[in-house]
Amino acid sequence: LRNLDCARSRTIAPFLSLGKNVAASKVVGGAFVVRARGCSSTRLQESDISKLRGARLTRSGKWEARAMINRTFKHIGTFSSKVEAAMAYDSALREAGLPTRQFSRFNFPTLNERMLLAEACSDERREHNLLRYGANFEKEARAKRMIEQHLEPTRFELHWLREGTLADGVFRPRQAVEIDVWMGVQVKSTEQPCGRAYYRFSNTRGYAGLLMMLVALDDGLLWIVPGHAVETLHIAASRTGKWHHFRRQWCEINDVLSSIWTLCEDYVQKPARVFATQVSKNGAVEALG
């Protein structure tokens, strides 16, 4: 088999050896399935094979593997298939000691490599937010501390998630600890009111299914809003007005959360790993769906 891009249109052997980097591979339902050593099985469709990095077709009909290492292109070898060349490309990068933040260059990353990359990206995003937003990032931390101080640990379990995840945190009642079901929390904060009339909270759209907590830090005010009720990019909340019926006293927060936990039609309840998914803000609604 010279070109695995044609796997769908040809009859090929059910198993194909791809060298020392691949334990086994086969065609299942029109897709090419490859299992690399140290990796879980990867199901490759025709479109996936076309996106493999580090492999190019030569005039001889074979596939050349080459990689940029230390700012220089290194020829790795020629192979009979694009997948084999892609695997050799990955091996060369591993042998070169690729930095964690460049693990996205792998065609077939191991589970450990994917976890390390996610952690590095999260740390990088946190550093970026500290540099770009400064005081705003610290404001959110203050709001989280206020929520923790008023939430009764005997009634609720609360965990804050890494920066850039689907929700800022997750909570659940203590009586549900034997079940991996949580509700997502999104925290927005501001300090002083605008013109002493209203409090402005930014980036409030796109959190359907989550519970939003809006905290006015200096005046100690709290609004608890269902994410699906917010259709504007910013909220201008005041002591009276449109959002007034969402205002809560801090002493009420535990009873309010207990009531909200039963409203399954307004909020999404899922395992914690779902809310811990690294996503962009625009993808929040789709990820919860």
Side-chain angles (χ1 to χ4, degrees):
L1 178 66
R2 291 178 178 268
N3 189 346
L4 292 179
D5 291 333
C6 302
R8 285 181 140 185
S9 59
R10 295 183 183 180
T11 301
I12 66 175
F15 290 90
L16 176 68
S17 172
L18 296 181
K20 64 180 181 180
N21 298 309
V22 178
S25 59
K26 59 181 177 179
V27 173
V28 178
F32 194 80
V33 180
V34 57
R35 181 167 61 85
R37 300 190 187 279
C39 305
S40 57
S41 296
T42 302
R43 189 182 184 89
L44 296 179
Q45 297 291 344
E46 184 177 338
S47 58
D48 298 323
I49 295 177
S50 66
K51 297 176 183 178
L52 293 177
R53 301 182 181 92
R56 71 183 186 91
L57 187 63
T58 64
R59 292 182 179 180
S60 65
K62 290 186 176 292
W63 291 90
E64 178 193 9
R66 63 174 186 168
M68 174 72 78
I69 299 175
N70 296 327
R71 300 183 180 181
T72 304
F73 274 111
K74 176 184 177 182
H75 172 77
I76 302 168
T78 56
F79 304 86
S80 59
S81 71
K82 188 173 185 179
V83 174
E84 187 177 1
M87 298 300 299
Y89 165 85
D90 283 5
S91 296
L93 293 182
R94 290 188 179 98
E95 292 174 2
L98 202 65
T100 303
R101 287 173 179 162
Q102 293 187 29
F103 281 1
S104 58
R105 294 174 61 185
F106 290 133
N107 293 298
F108 306 104
T110 64
L111 177 60
N112 184 56
E113 288 167 345
R114 289 197 297 268
M115 293 175 64
L116 290 174
L117 176 62
E119 184 176 349
C121 291
S122 179
D123 292 341
E124 187 176 59
R125 184 172 296 188
R126 185 180 294 106
E127 293 173 4
H128 168 77
N129 285 344
L130 284 171
L131 290 174
R132 181 175 179 181
Y133 301 111
N136 289 334
F137 191 68
E138 289 301 319
K139 283 192 300 183
E140 183 177 312
R142 285 178 56 195
K144 290 178 178 178
R145 287 194 294 270
M146 292 177 68
I147 294 171
E148 289 177 347
Q149 290 169 2
H150 292 88
L151 205 62
E152 296 180 11
T154 57
R155 295 179 61 180
F156 294 97
E157 186 176 0
L158 172 68
H159 294 289
W160 299 118
L161 303 176
R162 289 180 176 273
E163 188 70 15
T165 52
L166 185 61
D168 286 335
V170 292
F171 81 94
R172 63 179 177 180
R174 281 291 178 182
Q175 63 265 27
V177 294
E178 295 182 357
I179 305 174
D180 186 19
V181 176
W182 301 75
M183 188 176 289
V185 178
Q186 193 68 28
V187 178
K188 299 295 179 181
S189 60
T190 189
E191 290 182 324
Q192 298 178 350
C194 300
R196 295 292 175 184
Y198 64 90
Y199 301 85
R200 180 182 173 86
F201 299 94
S202 303
N203 301 320
T204 55
R205 185 171 58 196
Y207 297 109
L210 299 180
L211 172 68
M212 297 186 67
M213 292 190 178
L214 313 180
V215 181
L217 297 169
D218 290 352
D219 293 333
L221 302 180
L222 171 68
W223 290 262
I224 299 180
V225 185
H228 69 83
V230 183
E231 298 180 350
T232 57
L233 188 59
H234 307 286
I235 287 180
S238 61
R239 297 175 184 269
T240 60
K242 177 180 178 181
W243 302 100
H244 175 66
H245 58 289
F246 292 113
R247 245 199 83 196
R248 297 289 183 265
Q249 300 297 323
W250 283 103
C251 61
E252 301 175 327
I253 186 172
N254 294 281
D255 293 334
V256 171
L257 293 187
S258 294
S259 300
I260 286 175
W261 183 261
T262 63
L263 301 177
C264 299
E265 66 276 10
D266 293 331
Y267 301 94
V268 172
Q269 295 180 0
K270 290 186 177 292
R273 65 178 180 276
V274 175
F275 295 105
T277 304
Q278 295 279 337
V279 294
S280 63
K281 183 177 182 298
N282 292 335
V285 174
E286 291 79 359
L288 278 177

